[in-house]
Amino acid sequence: MLWLRSALFNLFFYAWTAFVSVSMLPALLWPRVLGVKVAKGWIAGVNVGLRLICGVRVEVRGRERMPEGPVLIAAKHQSAWDTIELLAICGMPAVVLKRELTWIPLYGWYIMAMGGIPIDRSAGARALKDMVRQAKLAVAQGRSVLIFPQGTRVAPGRKLEYQPGVAALYSQLGLPCIPVALNSGLVWPRRQFLRPSGTITVEFLTPIPPGLRREPFMTTLEARVEAASDALAALARPSSGP
């Protein structure tokens, strides 16, 4: 049953994505606010498919910790789910992503239309400067900025160094940083076909106020996100039964 559910969901996911991407091409010419509505509709459809086909539910904790106005959101990244659902959960922020994703036909076009922040990770310091410049423009428009501090998907239980990009944004934007923990890798594992049932939990943690020096900020951010993500993984292991 798990294999069958996973096959049905993957078929639904790609069919739904293709339908929305092609039918909504005119949205690329619309103001961003209308493109956001299209993206939210697509994301809602993915969630419905996960719930009805795979038995996956989503729980969000700590919304009350999100202040009004733009913030820097630093989220754990375990799954492709994060790049889809966190946009809606976090209020459609400007998301920092690797430039190569914008080269994907249709998908990349929508990312740019949504005001994403692509970075060339091979460009070193120049990439950081360009990322900060684009992030400041987004904040000036009243948008929050979302970054995955480890720069890639990391399976539950694995550890990977936090990259300097999040520290650059924190110091230059002067915004509170909202750490976000999650356990999505349990039910949408990286590069795996199966989609076990279970509950994905996203937790907004205690904000880190602006103004900390680099080292205490990075230490605080990593400690909070890793501890909370480990706790969520320990509390929720997916079911592979019928």
Side-chain angles (χ1 to χ4, degrees):
M1 286 297 292
L2 174 58
W3 191 94
L4 178 59
R5 289 199 309 264
S6 301
L8 288 174
F9 173 75
N10 281 292
L11 178 63
F12 161 77
F13 175 77
Y14 289 111
W16 172 243
T17 299
F19 170 75
V20 173
S21 298
V22 174
S23 64
M24 292 292 109
L25 275 175
L28 296 174
L29 304 176
W30 299 342
R32 191 184 68 84
V33 64
L34 297 179
V36 166
K37 292 183 182 297
V38 172
K40 285 183 175 180
W42 173 66
I43 292 169
V46 173
N47 252 351
V48 169
L50 273 175
R51 184 173 66 252
L52 297 182
I53 300 172
C54 299
V56 173
R57 298 185 177 277
V58 177
E59 176 187 4
V60 181
R61 302 177 180 177
R63 285 188 187 272
E64 70 280 0
R65 297 189 177 108
M66 283 284 284
E68 294 292 330
V71 294
L72 173 63
I73 303 164
K76 186 70 175 175
H77 192 14
Q78 294 183 349
S79 166
W81 182 92
D82 312 333
T83 60
I84 299 170
E85 304 291 345
L86 281 183
L87 290 177
I89 292 172
C90 296
M92 306 307 286
V95 59
V96 178
L97 70 160
K98 59 184 180 182
R99 183 185 59 175
E100 290 82 355
L101 291 176
T102 66
W103 299 342
I104 301 173
L106 295 178
Y107 179 80
W109 304 344
Y110 281 101
I111 287 176
M112 296 309 297
M114 290 283 297
I117 302 176
I119 59 170
D120 178 3
R121 294 190 292 188
S122 66
R126 181 165 56 84
L128 288 179
K129 290 180 181 179
D130 188 52
M131 177 186 66
V132 169
R133 178 186 61 79
Q134 294 184 70
K136 286 182 176 180
L137 290 175
V139 171
Q141 297 169 358
R143 304 176 66 199
S144 294
V145 175
L146 167 64
I147 187 172
F148 300 109
Q150 291 170 299
T152 188
R153 290 170 290 177
V154 181
R158 284 193 58 214
K159 303 301 178 185
L160 189 68
E161 182 180 1
Y162 279 47
Q163 300 300 309
V166 66
L169 289 176
Y170 173 77
S171 65
Q172 293 296 315
L173 297 180
L175 297 174
C177 176
I178 312 299
V180 177
L182 45 75
N183 60 1
S184 57
L186 295 176
V187 298
W188 193 321
R190 181 183 184 184
R191 295 176 182 170
Q192 293 188 31
F193 174 79
L194 297 179
R195 299 285 179 265
S197 61
T199 298
I200 296 175
T201 303
V202 176
E203 184 173 5
F204 293 94
L205 306 174
T206 302
I208 301 174
L212 294 182
R213 297 179 65 86
R214 176 193 174 98
E215 185 173 346
F217 165 71
M218 293 292 281
T219 300
T220 301
L221 175 65
E222 182 172 353
R224 289 184 186 177
V225 172
E226 294 301 308
S229 294
D230 288 346
L232 292 177
L235 288 173
R237 288 291 168 182
S239 168
S240 57

